[in-house]
């Protein structure tokens, strides 16, 4: 039986890098149900059996772990394996599966966890969600690591998915000209298919975004004049910052997406590109409502999962890696 707690924003007292968090714990049980996953970001995403899901179908198992361990608990002072340097980091690799049966069990755990987090998001009072949206965007707009970024990738929030709002962030970036102290180039995602294929295109105004069949705003691959938009994977300059969505996160940097594998696939490809070109790796920052931050070790890992460097919640910035600590001083 798998037990986990959603952090609700009241009653306990856990301090994270200078910020006081209040939480209440609610227990959920892993119900037996058909093993399936959501594919894509849409509110009515396709559901596939685990054995047919693209992220399982394409896995190459690389990271062995102990046969009886699907995930490990980690203390807050340890950090994800993505980063390097001090302080000493936890090895998230130790929790990755060694065979297909473990992968299937992990996908079932993730499916159950996603269901619980979705329920928590649906239960959020709209006024509280709006307050947290404003708080998170204010923190980012005032953050030195955001102000200093020249090239960034950011998601376009979808209210139907109950993602943290990014509309003001995008507007602030796009409406300011370089003479105002802004010199930012922004790329936003476009989902190409149901096989975890996503691209990031440069936009220069909000009108560059059009609603797809699921009413999610995306850039067209060509602009109004018929010219191809710049693809971030083909640019000659490195990206400084990724602003990422997700369903759940923990304070060691683990991220639970919606099941399509789009961001994990894209981030791995970009990180490999940065290595080949000898670029500095971008800072990976996830935006999170208070109810989306859960206990450490609850989110299980697979070989393709990418951890983040920091979270931004309504209470402040939470570095989760040494790269995050280098950039974010709290």
């Amino acid at each position: 039986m798998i037990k986990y707690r959603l952090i609700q924003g009241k009653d306990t007292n856990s301090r994270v890098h200078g910020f006081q968090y209040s939480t209440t714990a609610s227990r959920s049980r892993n119900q037996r149900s058909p093993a399936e996953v959501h594919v894509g970001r849409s509110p009515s995403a396709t559901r596939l059996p685990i054995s047919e899901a693209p992220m399982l179908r394409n896995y190459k198992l690389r990271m062995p772990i102990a046969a009886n361990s699907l995930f490990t608990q980690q203390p807050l002072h340890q950090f994800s394996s993505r980063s390097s340097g001090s302080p000493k980091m936890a090895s998230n690799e130790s929790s990755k599966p060694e065979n297909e049966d473990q992968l299937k069990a992990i996908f079932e755990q993730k499916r159950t966890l996603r269901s619980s987090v979705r329920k928590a998001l649906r239960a959020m009072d709209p006024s509280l969600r709006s307050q947290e949206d404003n708080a998170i965007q204010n923190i980012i707009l005032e953050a030195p690591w955001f102000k200093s970024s020249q090239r960034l990738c950011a998601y376009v929030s979808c209210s139907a998915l109950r993602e943290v709002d990014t509309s003001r962030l995008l507007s602030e970036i796009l409406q300011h000209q370089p003479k105002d102290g802004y010199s930012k180039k922004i790329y936003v995602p476009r989902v190409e298919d149901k096989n975890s294929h996503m691209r990031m295109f440069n936009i220069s105004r909000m009108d560059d975004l059009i609603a797809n069949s699921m009413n999610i705003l995306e850039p067209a691959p060509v602009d109004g004049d018929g010219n191809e938009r710049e693809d971030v994977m083909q640019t000659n300059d490195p990206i400084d910052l990724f602003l990422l969505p997700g369903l759940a996160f923990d304070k060691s940097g683990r991220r639970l997406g919606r099941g399509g594998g789009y961001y994990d696939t894209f981030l791995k490809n970009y990180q490999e590109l940065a290595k080949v070109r000898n670029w500095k790796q971008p800072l990976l920052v996830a935006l999170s409502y208070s109810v989306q931050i859960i206990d450490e070790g609850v989110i299980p890992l697979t070989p393709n999962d990418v951890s983040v460097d920091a979270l931004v919640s309504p209470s402040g910035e939470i570095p989760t890696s040494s790269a995050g600590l280098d950039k974010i001083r709290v």
Side-chain angles (χ1 to χ4, degrees):
M1 184 66 68
I2 301 161
K3 296 183 179 180
Y4 51 83
R5 295 186 294 148
L6 293 178
I7 292 181
Q8 297 291 342
K10 298 179 183 177
D11 293 338
T12 60
N13 296 310
S14 56
R15 188 172 296 276
V16 183
H17 294 283
F19 290 94
Q20 188 71 29
Y21 283 83
S22 295
T23 63
T24 55
S26 61
R27 297 276 180 180
S28 297
R29 296 195 177 192
N30 185 13
Q31 304 294 328
R32 297 176 63 87
S33 58
E36 55 190 8
V37 294
H38 285 272
V39 178
R41 284 182 71 234
S42 71
S44 56
T46 304
R47 294 170 70 88
L48 295 174
I50 282 177
S51 60
E52 298 177 11
M55 58 281 197
L56 176 58
R57 200 168 53 228
N58 298 329
Y59 268 126
K60 295 180 180 178
L61 302 182
R62 303 191 296 268
M63 302 295 183
I65 61 166
N68 62 352
S69 175
L70 293 180
F71 51 82
T72 59
Q73 299 285 344
Q74 296 179 3
L76 185 59
H77 66 272
Q78 294 178 316
F79 297 98
S80 77
S81 59
R82 178 184 175 274
S83 306
S84 59
S86 296
K88 186 177 180 180
M89 298 158 293
S91 178
N92 277 338
E93 307 298 334
S94 65
S95 62
K96 294 183 178 179
E98 65 180 1
N99 58 46
E100 187 170 332
D101 287 342
Q102 286 187 333
L103 271 178
K104 289 181 178 180
I106 283 176
F107 279 119
E108 176 62 18
Q109 293 165 27
K110 287 187 174 185
R111 187 199 64 79
T112 304
L113 184 54
R114 288 187 183 103
S115 177
S116 292
V117 178
R118 287 190 178 101
K119 288 178 182 177
L121 287 170
R122 286 195 297 269
M124 272 187 83
D125 185 89
S127 62
L128 176 60
R129 180 179 291 111
S130 179
Q131 291 172 18
E132 294 201 0
D133 283 332
N134 289 332
I136 291 168
Q137 291 181 98
N138 286 339
I139 290 167
I140 293 171
L141 288 170
E142 293 301 317
W145 49 265
F146 174 78
K147 291 181 177 181
S148 64
S149 64
Q150 296 182 330
R151 291 167 295 277
L152 67 151
C153 294
Y155 70 97
V156 181
S157 56
C158 175
S159 59
L161 295 177
R162 296 177 174 83
E163 293 174 325
V164 174
D165 187 22
T166 57
S167 58
R168 187 153 62 94
L169 292 174
L170 297 178
S171 295
E172 287 286 331
I173 292 168
L174 294 172
Q175 75 182 9
H176 288 83
Q177 300 301 314
K179 63 182 177 63
D180 297 319
Y182 278 69
S183 181
K184 297 186 188 300
K185 198 170 189 178
I186 188 166
Y187 300 81
V188 297
R190 176 184 173 86
V191 172
E192 296 292 319
D193 55 38
K194 294 182 179 180
N195 294 306
S196 305
H197 182 208
M198 183 176 75
R199 300 169 72 185
M200 291 267 189
F201 289 110
N202 175 236
I203 61 170
S204 56
R205 56 184 183 175
M206 293 299 289
D207 289 345
D208 290 342
L209 301 173
I210 58 175
N212 65 12
S213 61
M214 299 298 179
N215 206 33
I216 296 174
L217 293 176
E218 296 181 328
V222 295
D223 62 22
D225 297 324
N227 300 314
E228 288 189 7
R229 296 191 189 279
E230 184 179 22
D231 187 324
V232 73
M233 297 297 288
Q234 298 173 5
T235 184
N236 293 322
D237 299 303
I239 295 298
D240 303 310
L241 172 67
F242 277 82
L243 296 178
L244 302 170
L247 261 182
F249 313 92
D250 73 16
K251 295 167 190 172
S252 69
R254 296 186 184 191
R255 170 187 172 273
L256 179 71
R258 295 183 179 273
Y262 290 92
Y263 276 93
D264 287 322
T265 300
F266 184 88
L267 291 171
K268 282 211 175 258
N269 289 339
Y270 187 83
Q271 288 172 344
E272 185 60 33
L273 176 68
K275 288 180 184 178
V276 170
R277 297 191 178 180
N278 201 28
W279 289 342
K280 185 177 181 180
Q281 291 292 340
L283 185 71
L284 306 184
V285 177
L287 283 57
S288 175
Y289 291 121
S290 55
V291 299
Q292 293 178 284
I293 301 176
I294 66 175
D295 285 351
E296 290 180 60
V298 170
I299 301 174
L301 293 182
T302 62
N304 282 10
D305 290 333
V306 177
S307 296
V308 300
D309 296 310
L311 306 177
V312 179
S313 79
S315 300
E317 302 148 302
I318 308 172
T320 59
S321 74
S322 59
L325 279 175
D326 287 343
K327 284 282 189 178
I328 299 171
R329 303 296 180 184
V330 295

